[in-house]
């Protein structure tokens, strides 16, 4: 699984140096290239109208070939900094666009974007389906996407369809490709017509969240067609790109991260994980942005860690747990059979010698005599405190376990 | 012309059901959705609090509801659908409560439905995906409950209707049981085939669908004739408000923000020929009491509008 960072909200297209440095310093190695930074939605929406101030991007809409020229400096700076760009997104229209006459322009912009991807070594491009002013949505989009196959093939680029929402007088509801079965069918039919696997899918969690969708079901239905996931948060009502876990109410997150993590685990997702927190980043002072970008990297790493949680258990020839409470109980419920621990231990003396969920509860000292290659998994939320205790004892292979996103949960919690 | 119905909650009072059914009739309704769920509230059940209403014997329950049945008939109101108390399973509760909900409340609800000669009863699927890990596992538990009711439903000539409902994540409403039309259609067909009768159907709830941005037309056409009853109501896309259709806007243009066009197109496409029933009880507590009949008349008129455009 690869972690990418969207440059939106972090990089200024005219002076990208600082933003690129912030991402690099936060240890992001890969960028998500969004062509809308040089060809934004508002320019597309107002193209050709009177009184529009002259803007470089307007020339791109007029002559899509200029896209390359406009984005060239940014690409050069990113390359210079060693940032690769495995995924890009072609320019797109506003959700509530009124433009019915730009479909040909969108096709040309998509084509130019694919060519740039080819030159930049970018293997995936997200291209949104055409949606406004068309009667037969599938037929129109079939022609649109198949028309891009030749260029995509020449440039070794895979086209990713994306779940979109529809604007019903200000209320964003499920739109094209937001039904996972229908999206899967589109991809299969397009690949079949193309005669090769030239199409895949990118899940935008922000849109799924807006439409109150069950992300476990969504990812499960797409399976291996899912090549990329855009991680972004919102309040469930307005479209935004906020840092995951920042939309909370009364101490609870408001986004179905549980469903997403469970779903990505189920399909053994190994694709592109894209962090898009452009609105959060734009809201922070440039003085604080380096710390914010570092936090975003940690959040991305956390998602990867949760999705791949089993891989950490597999690493060790044997396992011992620290903690004899709910987290240990949850471990045993979900992983106890597949990765049976030797024992668990706890600082609570009254538990020593007792049995918990079929495990003997031992004093922490017992961890000193575990076999070589045994992983010690802390099953207690006081991770860092316990980690220090174990380090002082000279215990090796210390790992954290976490039960916030378990494959299933007990109906109750034990009280100790 | 399609018939128009509304919930009895907040309109029909136990102390004088004649007055309530007369009110519905004079407002322009010919059908009613009997709010059996009002006798055992979901809020109290989630607190593990159960009143004694369903402790009554079948004879006592029939005697209790006899005036309602008589009053509805006298007013010319057909009780075409009713709502079973919900939830039928409380994950945090003990076996005793859950057994009572299944073996007493659900069974007696079916018998009351039969007593009213009501063809459809709406139930909620169990909300267990978080605990059990998937919607499939959750459905297995709901199916077990539905199959418990199925022989009774077949014998009584009742169709139990599952409804699209929602869950809440930190106050944000997201899809819950029966929000996948494809799966619902497949499951309904499977159970009906197994019991050799239409023991299971679907209740499409417009308000719940709007909360989770469901494409009304696609959803309705996917379920087709499996949709037996409706819960028509509106909201702002954020809260389950059960308000009058066409009330909510979100843009400067002030055009309606709920996809009523999709609703009409969907019902038209499937040639829906059952009752257009409104689940708008909260409207009657929102408007001043003096305006109750006017509010009901407005709802009935919207129903007539829907009926006209759907059948045109």
């Amino acid at each position: 699984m690869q972690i990418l960072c969207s440059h939106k909200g972090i990089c200024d297209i005219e002076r990208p140096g600082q933003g690129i440095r912030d991402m690099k310093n936060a240890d992001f190695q890969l960028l998500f290239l969004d062509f809308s930074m040089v060809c934004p939605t508002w320019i597309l929406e107002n193209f050709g109208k009177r009184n529009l101030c002259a803007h470089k991007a307007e020339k791109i809409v007029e002559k899509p070939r200029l896209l390359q020229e406009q984005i060239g400096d940014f690409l050069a700076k990113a390359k210079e900094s060693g940032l690769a760009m495995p995924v890009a997104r072609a320019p797109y229209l506003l959700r509530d666009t009124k433009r019915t006459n730009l479909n040909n322009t969108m096709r040309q912009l998509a084509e130019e974007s694919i060519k740039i991807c080819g030159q930049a070594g970018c293997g995936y491009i997200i291209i949104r389906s055409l949606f406004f002013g068309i009667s037969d949505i599938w037929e129109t989009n079939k022609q649109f996407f198949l028309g891009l196959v030749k260029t995509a093939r020449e440039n070794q680029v895979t086209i990713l369809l994306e779940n979109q929402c529809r604007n019903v007088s200000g209320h964003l509801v499920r739109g094209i490709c937001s039904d996972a079965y229908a999206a899967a069918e589109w991809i299969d039919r397009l690949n079949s017509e193309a005669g090769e696997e030239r199409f895949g899918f990118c899940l935008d969690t922000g849109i799924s969240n807006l439409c109150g969708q069950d992300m476990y079901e969504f990812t499960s239905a797409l399976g291996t067609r899912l090549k990329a996931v855009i991680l972004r948060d919102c309040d469930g009502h307005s479209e935004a790109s906020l840092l995951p876990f920042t939309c909370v109410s009364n101490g609870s997150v408001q986004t179905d991260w549980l469903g997403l993590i469970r779903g990505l685990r189920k399909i053994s997702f190994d694709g592109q994980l894209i962090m898009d927190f452009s609105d959060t980043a734009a809201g922070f002072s440039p003085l604080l942005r380096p710390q914010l970008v570092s936090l975003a990297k940690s959040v991305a790493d956390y998602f990867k860690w949760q999705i791949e949680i089993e891989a950490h258990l597999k690493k060790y020839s044997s396992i011992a747990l620290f903690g004899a409470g709910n987290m240990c109980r949850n471990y045993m419920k979900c992983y106890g059979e597949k990765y049976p621990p030797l024992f668990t231990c706890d600082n609570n003396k009254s538990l020593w010698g007792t049995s918990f969920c079929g495990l003997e509860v031992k004093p922490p000292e017992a961890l000193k005599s575990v076999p070589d290659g045994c992983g010690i998994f802390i099953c207690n939320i006081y991770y860092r405190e316990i980690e220090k205790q174990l380090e002082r004892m000279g215990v090796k292979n210390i790992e954290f376990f976490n039960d916030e996103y378990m494959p299933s949960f007990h109906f109750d919690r034990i009280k100790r | 012309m399609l018939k128009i119905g509304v919930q009895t909650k907040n309109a029909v009072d136990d102390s004088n059901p004649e007055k309530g059914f007369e009110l519905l009739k004079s407002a322009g309704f010919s059908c009613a959705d009997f709010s059996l769920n009002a006798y055992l509230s979901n809020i109290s059940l989630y607190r593990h609090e159960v009143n004694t209403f369903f402790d009554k014997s079948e004879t006592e329950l029939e005697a209790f509801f006899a005036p309602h049945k008589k009053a509805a008939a006298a007013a010319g109101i057909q009780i075409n659908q009713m709502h079973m108390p919900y939830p039928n399973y409380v994950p945090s509760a003990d076996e005793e409560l859950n057994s009572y909900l299944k073996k007493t409340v659900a069974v007696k609800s079916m018998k009351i439905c039969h007593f009213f000669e009501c063809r459809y009863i709406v139930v909620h699927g169990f909300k267990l995906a978080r605990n059990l890990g998937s919607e499939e596992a959750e459905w297995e538990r709901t199916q077990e409950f539905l199959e418990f009711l199925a022989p009774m439903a077949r014998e009584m000539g009742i169709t139990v209707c599952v409804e699209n409902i929602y869950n809440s994540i930190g106050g944000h409403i997201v899809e819950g049981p029966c929000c996948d039309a494809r799966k619902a259609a497949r499951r309904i067909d499977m159970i009906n085939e197994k019991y050799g009768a239409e023991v299971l159907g679907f209740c499409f709830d417009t308000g719940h669908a709007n909360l989770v941005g469901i494409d009304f037309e696609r959803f309705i056409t996917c379920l087709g004739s499996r949709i037996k009853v409706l819960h028509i109501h509106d909201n702002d896309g954020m809260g389950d408000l059960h308000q009058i259709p066409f009330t909510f806007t979100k843009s400067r243009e002030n055009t309606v923000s709920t996809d009523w066009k999709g609703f009409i197109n969907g019902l038209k496409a499937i040639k829906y020929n059952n009752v257009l029933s409104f689940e708008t009880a909260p409207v009657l507590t929102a408007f001043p009491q003096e305006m109750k009949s006017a509010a009901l008349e407005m709802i009935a008129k919207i129903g007539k509008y829907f009926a006209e455009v759907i059948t045109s």
Side-chain angles (χ1 to χ4, degrees):
Chain A
M1 198 182 313
Q2 291 191 309
I3 291 172
L4 289 76
C5 183
S6 169
H7 52 73
K8 282 183 92 176
I10 302 169
C11 282
D12 179 342
I13 184 64
E14 301 289 340
R15 294 181 187 82
Q18 176 171 281
I20 285 176
R21 196 173 303 120
D22 287 345
M23 288 188 278
K24 193 76 187 161
N25 288 344
D27 204 24
F28 278 110
Q29 305 295 324
L30 304 168
L31 269 189
F32 172 53
L33 175 63
D34 195 327
F35 285 100
S36 73
M37 77 172 155
V38 288
C39 186
T41 51
W42 68 272
I43 286 285
L44 285 162
E45 199 59 25
N46 293 297
F47 174 68
K49 290 182 186 171
R50 278 191 212 168
N51 302 326
L52 178 70
C53 299
H55 192 283
K56 275 186 198 171
E58 205 183 13
K59 291 182 193 151
I60 295 175
V61 186
E62 212 165 20
K63 292 180 185 164
R65 282 177 190 279
L66 295 176
L67 197 59
Q68 168 92 51
E69 194 180 293
Q70 296 294 330
I71 208 161
D73 280 354
F74 177 81
L75 295 179
K77 286 237 162 44
K79 194 176 176 186
E80 207 178 284
S81 303
L83 286 166
M85 286 163 279
V87 189
R89 183 194 264 141
Y92 49 87
L93 293 168
L94 285 173
R95 303 275 183 209
D96 59 348
T97 183
K98 303 286 183 289
R99 301 300 301 253
T100 54
N101 59 347
L102 288 182
N103 285 348
N104 192 43
T105 304
M106 297 315 290
R107 190 191 57 74
Q108 289 175 37
L109 286 168
E111 192 131 359
E112 287 306 315
S113 303
I114 293 170
K115 287 178 190 167
I116 297 168
C117 282
Q119 290 157 20
C122 174
Y124 294 105
I125 185 160
I126 302 162
I127 300 177
R128 287 189 186 166
S129 305
L130 302 176
F131 62 97
F132 195 69
I134 52 176
S135 50
D136 190 331
I137 288 170
W138 160 245
E139 274 305 320
T140 306
N141 277 296
K142 187 176 90 170
Q143 298 307 324
F144 171 64
F145 283 118
L146 291 177
L148 299 170
V149 166
K150 185 171 172 282
T151 311
R153 186 184 297 134
E154 284 167 4
N155 288 280
Q156 294 181 306
V157 172
T158 299
I159 297 169
L160 304 183
L161 277 61
E162 188 184 45
N163 50 318
Q164 295 174 215
C165 59
R166 184 163 62 95
N167 189 314
V168 179
S169 298
H171 182 201
L172 297 174
V173 300
R174 301 177 192 195
I176 296 178
C177 290
S178 66
D179 175 330
Y181 301 107
E185 198 184 322
W186 273 36
I187 292 163
D188 294 347
R189 288 172 75 177
L190 288 170
N191 281 333
S192 166
E193 296 256 2
E196 60 187 327
E197 199 185 312
R198 191 54 60 194
F199 296 91
F201 199 80
C202 171
L203 167 65
D204 180 343
T205 59
I207 296 303
S208 280
N209 191 39
L210 273 176
C211 300
Q213 292 186 278
D214 180 333
M215 292 200 231
Y216 175 83
E217 292 294 314
F218 202 104
T219 48
S220 301
L222 281 161
T224 54
R225 299 172 191 91
L226 190 63
K227 306 297 181 193
V229 174
I230 296 174
L231 288 175
R232 59 177 186 146
D233 213 344
C234 70
D235 65 1
H237 308 299
S238 309
E239 187 171 6
S241 293
L242 305 180
L243 184 66
F245 305 123
T246 58
C247 274
V248 292
S249 172
N250 292 321
S252 298
V253 295
Q254 295 184 288
T255 303
D256 181 25
W257 301 121
L258 173 67
L260 177 73
I261 290 168
R262 279 177 173 174
L264 294 178
R265 272 190 207 136
K266 184 186 172 188
I267 64 168
S268 304
F269 179 72
D270 192 26
Q272 316 292 320
L273 205 54
I274 302 163
M275 290 298 288
D276 178 2
F277 54 104
S278 53
D279 288 308
T280 306
F284 270 70
S285 161
L287 289 168
L288 292 169
R289 217 166 279 153
Q291 291 92 319
L292 176 72
V293 180
S294 290
L295 173 63
K297 177 64 167 56
S298 302
V299 171
D301 288 339
Y302 175 76
F303 271 96
K304 185 175 186 295
W305 180 80
Q306 278 288 4
I307 295 160
E308 296 175 340
I309 198 163
E310 244 189 281
H312 305 290
L313 303 174
K314 273 183 201 164
K315 272 193 316 200
Y316 298 99
S317 54
S318 61
I319 280 170
L321 306 182
F322 189 106
N326 281 296
M327 203 185 291
C328 170
R329 186 174 175 232
N330 285 331
Y331 176 99
M332 293 307 290
K333 175 176 166 59
C334 298
Y335 300 108
E337 203 172 311
K338 201 166 175 188
Y339 306 99
L342 301 171
F343 61 88
T344 190
C345 55
D346 203 283
N347 283 333
N348 184 347
K349 288 179 186 175
S350 67
L351 298 177
W352 296 350
T354 64
S355 172
F356 183 69
C357 299
L359 295 175
E360 186 186 352
V361 185
K362 295 186 178 187
E365 289 298 310
L367 295 173
K368 286 181 176 171
S369 48
V370 292
D372 285 347
C374 178
I376 313 301
F377 283 79
I378 300 175
C379 292
N380 187 298
I381 58 164
Y382 300 105
Y383 294 111
R384 292 170 290 284
E385 208 178 326
I386 294 166
E387 184 184 29
K388 283 277 166 241
Q389 175 189 346
L390 298 184
E391 280 172 356
R392 279 197 300 270
M393 287 165 57
V395 171
K396 304 277 181 230
N397 302 332
I398 303 166
E399 297 272 0
F400 297 154
F401 183 71
N402 181 275
D403 64 353
E404 288 168 88
Y405 299 97
M406 288 282 93
S408 63
F409 289 108
H410 285 284
F411 281 24
D412 61 344
R413 281 181 67 80
I414 49 164
K415 285 174 188 156
R416 288 206 145 173
Chain B
M1 183 69 90
L2 296 168
K3 289 180 180 175
I4 318 296
V6 72
Q7 268 182 295
T8 56
K9 190 179 175 188
N10 295 342
V12 177
D13 194 272
D14 290 337
S15 63
N16 190 354
E18 292 86 355
K19 190 182 166 192
F21 283 110
E22 273 303 328
L23 176 68
L24 299 187
K25 186 68 182 177
S26 62
F29 296 99
S30 57
C31 292
D33 173 355
F34 195 81
S35 307
L36 189 61
N37 54 317
Y39 295 89
L40 185 58
S41 92
N42 58 336
I43 296 167
S44 61
L45 283 176
Y46 280 121
R47 287 193 203 124
H48 304 181
E49 294 164 3
V50 189
N51 62 30
T52 57
F53 186 82
F54 284 90
D55 288 349
K56 289 183 176 69
S57 68
E58 285 168 36
T59 317
E60 286 170 332
L61 285 167
E62 284 190 7
F64 181 87
F65 287 120
H68 302 74
K69 186 178 177 183
K70 195 177 157 196
I77 297 279
Q78 181 201 349
I79 295 179
N80 70 292
Q81 65 192 75
M82 67 167 55
H83 206 309
M84 189 182 283
Y86 61 90
N88 297 104
Y89 186 86
V90 183
S92 58
D94 58 18
E95 178 53 31
E96 192 187 358
L97 175 61
N98 284 318
S99 173
Y100 179 77
L101 291 175
K102 180 180 175 183
K103 293 176 182 160
T104 303
V105 177
V107 170
K108 287 183 177 172
S109 296
M110 294 294 285
K111 288 181 177 168
I112 294 166
C113 188
H114 186 53
F115 170 71
F116 273 110
E117 295 169 52
C118 173
R119 179 82 175 79
Y120 303 107
I121 188 162
V122 176
V123 302
H124 284 188
F126 295 0
K127 293 183 175 183
L128 297 171
R130 183 184 185 277
N131 289 93
L132 299 179
S134 70
E135 190 274 342
E136 295 285 341
E138 172 184 78
W139 173 256
E140 275 180 33
R141 300 287 291 271
T142 298
Q143 186 178 335
E144 204 179 293
F145 173 68
L146 294 171
E147 294 211 44
F148 168 73
L149 300 178
M152 257 181 291
R154 182 172 55 191
E155 196 186 313
M156 296 173 178
I158 293 171
T159 301
V160 177
C161 296
V162 287
E163 170 189 2
N164 53 304
I165 56 175
Y166 57 83
N167 283 314
S168 171
I169 298 179
H172 172 215
I173 288 177
V174 298
E175 67 180 60
C178 300
C179 281
D180 184 325
R182 274 188 193 80
K183 282 186 181 179
R186 199 173 59 233
R187 290 161 175 172
I188 289 169
D189 292 348
M190 189 272 289
I191 289 180
N192 287 343
E193 197 180 318
K194 182 172 174 183
Y195 289 89
E198 243 181 11
V199 292
L200 192 60
F202 200 86
C203 169
F204 179 63
D205 188 299
T206 60
H208 299 171
N210 190 49
L211 287 170
V212 296
I214 281 174
D215 184 322
F216 286 14
E217 188 174 347
R218 181 190 279 263
F219 197 94
I220 292 169
T221 50
C222 179
L223 278 156
S225 61
R226 299 169 191 91
I227 296 179
K228 303 298 180 191
V229 290
L230 299 168
H231 283 167
I232 307 171
H233 56 102
D234 208 352
N235 56 52
D236 58 359
M238 296 191 270
D240 190 15
L241 304 172
H242 287 260
Q243 291 297 315
I244 301 175
F246 303 111
T247 347
F248 295 92
T249 62
K250 279 177 178 276
S251 62
R252 266 193 206 169
E253 291 79 15
N254 291 319
T255 45
V256 71
S257 58
T258 302
D259 187 16
W260 293 113
K261 196 176 161 196
F263 174 68
I264 292 165
N265 289 344
L267 292 184
K268 215 175 165 80
I270 67 167
K271 297 184 170 53
Y272 181 75
N273 61 0
N274 289 343
V275 179
L276 292 166
S277 193
F278 290 82
E279 203 182 40
T280 45
V283 171
L284 305 183
T285 49
F287 275 89
Q289 283 306 293
E290 294 84 348
M291 293 192 69
K292 188 182 259 192
S293 60
L296 282 165
E297 280 166 28
M298 176 70 176
I299 294 167
K301 278 181 185 164
I302 292 170
K304 280 173 191 147
Y305 163 75
F306 279 141
E308 276 166 25
V309 291
I310 289 164
T311 53
S312 66

